[in-house]
């Protein structure tokens, strides 16, 4: 038994070394930085930084894309001088998000959500005293009672409703002109995800969900940091008449498979405007709504579980 264990250990060690050199090593290092102030300070000396001003990241414009430069040193210049020196501008993330590459979009979204959380949690809810963040910014602590506060995300369900041959898309007045997306809404306290989906669909478009299936999830920085939980849902046969809640939505409609497939193939549709008209288009690839819609186009009759 001892000999067997020894051989197993050697083989496991070789396998673990390869594994620890990638994802596990990175994960454990990041965990150390979150908890060890000294280690984090040391890392900051050689780290690269995104710059923000009032929650807006410093970006550089390149044709129809934004670039997010990283800087090794933090300058102490005023905003106008910094923009001139670094050849960029502080631009609202909501405006620029879909014109960033996936890596920058993900990191900037996380950074902005964290900055916003710190700005809104500077005082202890129990003592009323100022809280103090650690070096990594992964938590805040009340010095008077040692209560630890961690950043939080709000769960949001985003649902693509279909009736078998069509999918239902909607738009809010805040959306860019011509863009339609899946239905979305915050989960209420005490609700399961399934209950939240059924309620949101009923509230926003007056339809009753028959079956649903989980798809994926995504962090979303707006309005205050949300966890988008994506689902597919079907409505009861013969009950497809839409009754839009105009307090929530500007419009909602059924779209055919061909209409949606054509919209998915468009490149930069927001810029393809002719004579002031805005064509029908869908959320860009970075958004989880795009993934939901793409899944439905590729497999519109996939099996869906009972709600």
């Amino acid at each position: 038994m001892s000999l067997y264990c020894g051989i197993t250990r050697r083989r496991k060690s070789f396998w673990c070394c390869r594994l620890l050199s990638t994802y596990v090593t990175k994960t454990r290092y990041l965990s150390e930085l979150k908890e060890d102030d000294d280690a984090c300070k040391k890392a900051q000396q050689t780290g690269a930084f995104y710059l923000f001003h009032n929650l807006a990241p410093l970006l550089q414009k390149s044709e129809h894309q934004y670039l997010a430069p990283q800087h090794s040193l933090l300058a102490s210049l005023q905003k106008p001088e910094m923009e001139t020196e670094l050849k960029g501008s502080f631009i609202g993330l909501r405006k620029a998000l879909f014109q960033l590459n996936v890596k920058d979009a993900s990191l900037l979204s996380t950074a902005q959500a964290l900055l916003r959380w710190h700005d809104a949690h500077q005082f202890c809810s129990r003592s009323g005293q100022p809280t103090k963040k650690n070096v990594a910014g992964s938590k805040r602590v009340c010095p008077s009672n040692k209560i630890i506060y961690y950043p939080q995300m709000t769960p949001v369900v985003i649902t693509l409703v279909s009736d078998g041959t069509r999918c239902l898309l909607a738009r809010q007045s805040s959306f860019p002109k011509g863009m339609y997306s899946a239905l979305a809404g915050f989960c209420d306290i005490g609700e399961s995800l399934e209950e939240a989906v059924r309620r949101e669909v009923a509230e926003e478009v007056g339809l009753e969900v028959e079956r649903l299936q989980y798809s994926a999830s995504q962090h979303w920085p707006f309005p205050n940091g949300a966890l988008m939980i994506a689902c597919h849902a079907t409505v009861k046969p013969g009950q497809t008449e839409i009754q839009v809640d105009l307090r929530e939505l500007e419009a909602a409609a059924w779209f055919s498979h061909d209409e949606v497939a054509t919209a998915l193939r468009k490149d930069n549709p927001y810029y393809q405007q002719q004579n002031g008209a805005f064509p029908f288009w869908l959320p860009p690839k970075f958004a989880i709504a795009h993934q939901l819609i793409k899944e439905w186009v590729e497999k519109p009759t996939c099996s869906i579980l009972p709600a």
Side-chain angles (χ1 to χ4, degrees):
M1 180 63 73
S2 296
L3 178 60
Y4 174 79
C5 288
I7 295 173
T8 303
R9 234 186 336 258
R10 284 202 296 272
R11 289 177 177 173
K12 281 187 175 180
S13 295
F14 175 72
W15 179 79
C16 287
C17 284
R18 289 168 51 193
L19 180 62
L20 289 174
S21 66
T22 54
Y23 178 76
V24 173
T25 300
K26 176 183 175 182
T27 301
R28 289 181 173 176
Y29 178 61
L30 291 176
S31 178
E32 178 186 7
L33 296 184
K34 289 180 180 180
E35 299 300 327
D36 190 327
D37 285 352
D38 290 335
C40 190
K41 289 177 181 178
K42 183 178 179 180
Q44 288 178 346
Q45 296 174 7
T46 56
F49 301 88
Y50 290 113
L51 302 185
F52 284 79
H53 180 269
N54 288 340
L55 300 180
L58 181 78
L59 303 174
Q60 297 171 343
K61 183 68 173 176
S62 175
E63 295 184 354
H64 296 321
Q65 184 179 18
Y66 284 107
L67 305 177
Q70 298 181 18
H71 305 278
S72 57
L73 296 177
L74 296 178
S76 58
L77 301 173
Q78 296 297 313
K79 177 175 177 284
E81 289 82 4
M82 187 172 290
E83 290 179 322
T84 300
E85 178 72 20
L86 300 176
K87 298 180 176 60
S89 300
F90 290 99
I91 299 173
L93 186 58
R94 185 184 290 272
K95 175 183 177 181
L97 186 63
F98 294 133
Q99 297 174 57
L100 290 162
N101 64 52
V102 173
K103 178 184 176 182
D104 285 335
S106 177
L107 290 174
L108 288 173
S109 295
T110 300
Q112 192 205 62
L114 191 58
L115 289 171
R116 183 186 284 111
W117 180 83
H118 279 291
D119 186 55
H121 292 79
Q122 297 185 31
F123 296 90
C124 176
S125 61
R126 181 71 62 83
S127 69
Q129 297 299 309
T131 56
K132 182 179 180 181
K133 75 176 184 68
N134 63 343
V135 175
S138 61
K139 61 185 177 183
R140 299 188 73 90
V141 180
C142 177
S144 65
N145 55 30
K146 306 306 179 184
I147 293 178
I148 301 176
Y149 295 91
Y150 293 99
Q152 300 172 332
M153 293 191 298
T154 303
V156 174
V157 289
I158 179 166
T159 309
L160 185 66
V161 177
S162 67
D163 67 353
T165 60
R166 304 174 298 173
C167 72
L168 188 151
L169 299 171
R171 58 172 283 105
Q172 299 176 0
S173 59
S174 61
F175 284 8
K177 297 295 185 181
M179 191 187 88
Y180 280 73
S181 185
L183 301 176
F186 294 99
C187 295
D188 281 348
I189 290 179
E191 280 187 325
S192 67
L193 296 180
E194 293 84 355
E195 290 168 339
V197 169
R198 292 173 63 90
R199 175 183 54 78
E200 282 293 336
V201 174
E203 287 179 353
E204 295 191 350
V205 293
L207 297 175
E208 186 172 346
V209 168
E210 182 180 36
R211 296 178 296 172
L212 64 88
Q213 180 184 46
Y214 169 79
S215 173
S217 63
Q218 177 187 47
H219 169 256
W220 191 247
F222 314 111
N224 296 307
L227 177 63
M228 306 296 290
I229 304 159
C231 300
H232 291 278
T234 57
V235 294
K236 291 190 173 183
Q239 298 183 16
T240 59
E241 183 180 351
I242 300 172
Q243 300 175 20
V244 178
D245 182 352
L246 295 177
R247 297 170 300 178
E248 297 283 341
L249 302 173
E250 183 178 83
W254 291 104
F255 292 85
S256 70
H257 183 274
D258 288 343
E259 288 176 307
V260 178
T262 299
L264 279 175
R265 290 193 294 267
K266 293 179 180 177
D267 293 324
N268 296 320
Y270 187 61
Y271 293 97
Q272 297 176 4
Q273 305 169 16
Q274 299 177 355
N275 301 323
F278 293 87
F280 162 58
W281 61 288
L282 302 169
K285 294 180 180 179
F286 175 72
I288 199 166
H290 182 100
Q291 178 178 326
L292 273 176
I293 296 167
K294 186 171 183 288
E295 286 177 345
W296 179 80
V297 166
E298 293 176 347
K299 197 174 182 181
T301 58
C302 61
S303 60
I304 299 181
L305 303 176

